[in-house]
Amino acid sequence: MEVSRVIALVAATMTTGLSAGLFYAYACSVMPGLRGTEDRTFIEVMQRINVAILNGWFLLGFVGALVTTAVALVLHLPADGHRGLPATVAALVCYTASLVVTRRINIPLNDALAAAGDPSRIADPADVRGRFETRWVRWNVARALLCTAALGFLCWALVLHCDTVG
């Protein structure tokens, strides 16, 4: 059982790290890199990214973090006095909050950007970009912070778990 618990915590930590890294990369490189582009270019690139990101590698980290953290939590429930349990719960809460932000804010913004259509045919690309960029960037930073907090909690849960069984 101990091996399963450690494997689940490591998997949760790794997949959460992938999600935290993805959102961090957007916050510190992708979006600042696009900031100076022309409106139609910005819209086209974001539309393409929003299609390209929906793949198995992305889902491995994005959904995997939720699943593996939940599994780690369930596997640690029967462990008497497991000190890492509160940190694992906190990680799950933080990661779930990042999913709520994604579902309620970032995905609808992505959908609205897609619905704007071909960037070369948009009558007012500055308006389309204006309704998207600032809000999307702000909430992406929130996702990055939530995922990073979840990652930190999982690292702490691993430390406590190894300290308990070591």
Side-chain angles (χ1 to χ4, degrees):
M1 186 63 146
E2 281 308 309
V3 171
S4 296
R5 289 178 179 141
V6 171
I7 289 171
L9 274 175
V10 168
T13 303
M14 291 175 65
T15 53
T16 301
L18 290 172
S19 289
L22 174 73
F23 298 136
Y24 173 77
Y26 268 92
C28 70
S29 65
V30 175
M31 300 314 286
L34 288 174
R35 186 179 303 133
T37 62
E38 190 270 328
D39 295 335
R40 291 183 200 284
T41 301
F42 175 90
I43 294 166
E44 180 180 1
V45 169
M46 285 306 297
Q47 286 176 336
R48 287 179 184 225
I49 288 172
N50 290 336
V51 170
I53 201 166
L54 298 177
N55 63 66
W57 291 110
F58 167 72
L59 292 175
L60 174 69
F62 191 68
V63 175
L66 178 66
V67 171
T68 55
T69 304
V71 167
L73 178 66
V74 169
L75 289 176
H76 283 89
L77 286 175
D80 292 336
H82 178 69
R83 295 183 347 192
L85 192 59
T88 307
V89 169
L92 187 59
V93 168
C94 287
Y95 194 77
T96 301
S98 78
L99 295 178
V100 170
V101 168
T102 299
R103 180 69 188 111
R104 295 208 176 169
I105 298 168
N106 293 90
I107 289 175
L109 287 169
N110 292 345
D111 292 345
L113 196 64
D118 183 341
S120 66
R121 296 198 168 118
I122 297 172
D124 189 356
D127 179 59
V128 170
R129 180 180 185 168
R131 286 184 275 121
F132 176 86
E133 186 175 19
T134 301
R135 190 163 186 234
W136 194 96
V137 166
R138 180 180 309 120
W139 286 101
N140 180 68
V141 169
R143 296 188 300 180
L145 292 171
L146 287 164
C147 287
T148 301
L151 178 60
F153 283 124
L154 287 167
C155 288
W156 187 241
L158 269 169
V159 167
L160 293 174
H161 179 79
C162 290
D163 185 49
T164 301
V165 297

